[in-house]
Amino acid sequence: MAKLTDLNDLFVNLLRDIYYAEKKILKVFPKQAKALGKNSRLAAAFEKHMKETEEQLARLDKVFALINEKPKSKTCEAMDGLVKEAGEVMQNSQNQAVMEAGLLADAQAVKHYEISRYGTLVEWAKMLGYGKAAKLLQDTLKEEKKTDELLNVLSMREINERALHARDSEGKKMMTRRRASW
Ligand code: FE
Ligand code: FE
């Protein structure tokens, strides 16, 4: 990792971290959506989120350009860890309902990580006098918060409820059908 000597170094370092994280999301969420299947509302939310993530990456490209840095990634161990946990949920879920509730919780953990990072980036950009960059990062921060809210609504309305009762025969039937299509 590059040496860190001031707030600007921290800012660039964190930009590279979130750049990596967004790219990782772009790779992993479609796989999760596929595992959930076509009838899943969570899968639909994930698909929609991919377009948003592409826009967020484009915004990060602009931020790098604004501060005269080449867009670069730096491994985000936190995002790698969260993705690994979601993989464990996919592997071990015994029915569709429980997988959906588990992946939804993991998606929220991802969102909260992003909200935390973009929040810091906005503050640092302002302090460093990068007004335009701060505005772009703020736009993404707002989107991340909106997505988190959407996931909240999904979890409260139905997904957690279904997982609560998933141990009955219906849950098992759903799983058998899903297994066949994997
Ligand atoms: Fe994002
Ligand atoms: Fe990170």
Side-chain angles (χ1 to χ4, degrees), residues 64-154:
F64 278 114
L66 281 166
I67 62 165
N68 293 315
E69 289 279 344
K70 278 198 188 109
K72 247 172 61 180
S73 286
K74 168 197 156 285
T75 304
C76 172
E77 305 285 356
M79 186 59 63
D80 279 356
L82 290 172
V83 166
K84 215 174 142 199
E85 287 183 5
E88 286 169 5
V89 165
M90 281 197 282
Q91 259 186 8
N92 295 304
S93 291
Q94 298 302 302
N95 59 63
Q96 170 82 6
V98 95
M99 181 163 78
E100 202 156 32
L103 286 183
L104 191 150
D106 288 333
Q108 285 202 283
V110 166
K111 284 298 117 188
H112 286 212
Y113 179 74
E114 290 183 282
I115 288 166
S116 152
R117 292 327 216 170
Y118 278 110
T120 297
L121 284 167
V122 169
E123 284 316 303
W124 284 352
K126 282 184 197 161
M127 290 207 57
L128 291 161
Y130 301 144
K132 276 185 193 163
K135 169 80 180 54
L136 290 167
L137 293 163
Q138 181 75 52
D139 289 346
T140 297
L141 178 60
K142 265 190 225 154
E143 275 179 10
E144 304 291 15
K145 285 182 177 170
K146 244 169 82 186
T147 304
D148 181 46
E149 263 314 300
L150 182 100
L151 293 175
N152 260 335
V153 171
L154 273 181

